[in-house]
């Protein structure tokens, strides 16, 4: 992976398996969170959903931390109740917010509103109660080059990808997604102290190669907006 044409300042890390990658990433994220706790007394972590992060969540949940001073939130969410199979909050409850990590504070991205458009102001307020600079953001990526719920061809994508987008979150209705979504916007991700892209599989390397070939075309592959200096990429086959 390191032979891809990465922009200056992007670091790459790989492991023999997805489990080993999850362990390596969990140790690094725990170190960053401990550093935040020492420096500021609190720490914030925003994670993505999907299948890739599960070994990472399970390894992070085992990390010794003052979890009660850590706030965990999501990079994006499907607009479904936590009981729904597609809920990212449900995924976190099952694999991350358990054991010692069950003491962490969790900021969900879904409200009781009927749609993300109606719920957005309340989610915006909840996010505004968090530090403006999150300590750690973990991005995933689909093979279409989406990240978070920033999908190509979605109405409102240009707004959400503006470096100066005024909102911290935005409702999205990706044409091919099963559920309406809500996503963090680009400024929130850009401002994070530590930005990670966590991916697995050869197909994701092919996607990255395509993304790196035309970095300026962010609307067709939104991940392109985040492939820049300071990003830490974690990959395994
Ligand atoms: O809510 C989501 O689905 C994620 O935030 C999404 O952006 C995910 O990171 C990618 O779709 C990759 O998913 P996999 O890890 O399952 O390939």
């Amino acid at each position: 992976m390191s032979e891809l044409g990465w922009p200056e300042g992007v670091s790459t890390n790989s492991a023999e398996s997805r489990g080993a990658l999850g362990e390596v990433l969990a140790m690094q994220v725990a170190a960053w969170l401990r550093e935040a706790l020492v420096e500021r007394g609190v720490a914030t972590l925003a994670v993505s959903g999907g299948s890739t992060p599960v070994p990472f969540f399970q390894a992070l949940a085992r990390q010794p931390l003052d979890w009660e001073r850590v706030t965990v939130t999501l990079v994006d969410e499907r607009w479904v109740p936590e009981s729904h199979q597609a809920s990212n909050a449900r995924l976190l409850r099952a694999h991350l917010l358990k054991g010692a990590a069950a003491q962490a504070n969790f900021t969900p991205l879904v409200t009781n509103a009927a749609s993300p458009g109606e719920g957005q102001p309340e989610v915006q307020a909840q996010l505004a109660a968090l530090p403006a600079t999150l300590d750690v953001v973990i991005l995933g990526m689909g093979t279409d080059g989406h990240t978070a719920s920033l999908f190509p061809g979605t109405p409102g994508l240009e707004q959400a990808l503006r470096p100066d987008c005024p909102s911290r979150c935005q409702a999205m209705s990706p044409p091919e997604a099963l559920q309406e979504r809500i996503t963090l916007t680009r400024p929130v991700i850009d401002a994070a102290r530590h930005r990670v892209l966590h991916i697995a599989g050869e197909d994701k390397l092919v996607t990255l190669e395509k993304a790196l070939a035309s970095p300026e075309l962010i609307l067709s592959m939104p991940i392109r907006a985040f492939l820049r200096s300071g990003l830490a990429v974690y990959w395994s086959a």
Side-chain angles (χ1 to χ4, degrees):
M1 172 186 58
S2 54
E3 67 283 359
L4 292 182
W6 295 107
E8 186 72 29
V10 171
S11 63
T12 58
N13 311 268
S14 55
E16 288 304 307
S17 70
R18 300 184 185 198
L21 189 70
E23 291 286 347
V24 167
L25 180 56
M27 286 191 287
Q28 175 60 82
V29 168
W32 286 332
L33 294 176
R34 286 188 198 101
E35 184 182 281
L37 291 172
V38 166
E39 291 176 5
R40 288 174 292 280
V42 293
T44 50
L45 165 67
V47 295
S48 289
S51 56
T52 304
V54 172
F56 160 63
F57 291 161
Q58 293 171 336
L60 185 59
R62 294 193 295 269
Q63 290 291 317
L65 268 175
D66 288 341
W67 281 105
E68 68 281 0
R69 292 192 288 135
V70 177
T71 294
V72 178
T73 189
L74 285 160
V75 165
D76 68 331
E77 181 60 285
R78 298 82 181 279
W79 200 263
V80 295
E82 196 169 304
S83 57
H84 193 288
Q85 193 61 32
S87 165
N88 283 339
R90 174 190 170 110
L91 188 75
L92 262 60
R93 298 270 186 217
H95 300 293
L96 175 53
L97 302 173
K98 59 182 201 174
Q103 301 303 312
N105 306 283
F106 175 53
T107 296
L109 295 193
V110 167
T111 70
N112 294 327
S115 72
E118 290 172 50
Q120 191 276 345
E122 186 180 342
V123 178
Q124 170 77 9
Q126 284 169 342
L127 291 171
L130 300 180
T133 301
L134 302 180
D135 291 298
V136 183
V137 169
I138 311 285
L139 297 177
M141 182 187 70
T143 52
D144 60 353
H146 84 260
T147 188
S149 283
L150 302 163
F151 286 81
T154 305
L157 178 66
E158 190 160 8
Q159 169 76 358
L161 282 176
R162 277 177 47 189
D164 62 348
C165 179
S167 305
R168 292 187 179 204
C169 62
Q170 187 169 311
M172 303 294 277
S173 299
E176 70 285 356
L178 294 177
Q179 298 91 15
E180 286 193 292
R181 305 275 189 112
I182 190 160
T183 188
L184 295 187
T185 56
R186 181 172 175 183
V188 178
I189 299 168
D190 280 346
R193 286 187 180 87
H194 303 285
R195 288 169 284 112
V196 172
L197 175 60
H198 179 206
I199 52 175
E202 298 293 341
D203 57 343
K204 299 290 178 76
L205 286 189
V206 173
T207 303
L208 274 181
E209 203 157 22
K210 184 178 173 189
L212 289 164
S214 307
E216 70 287 354
L217 303 177
I218 67 173
L219 294 180
S220 53
M221 294 186 83
I223 190 64
R224 287 170 168 150
F226 305 101
L227 301 179
R228 61 177 182 79
S229 178
L231 181 74
V233 184
Y234 284 73
W235 174 83
S236 73

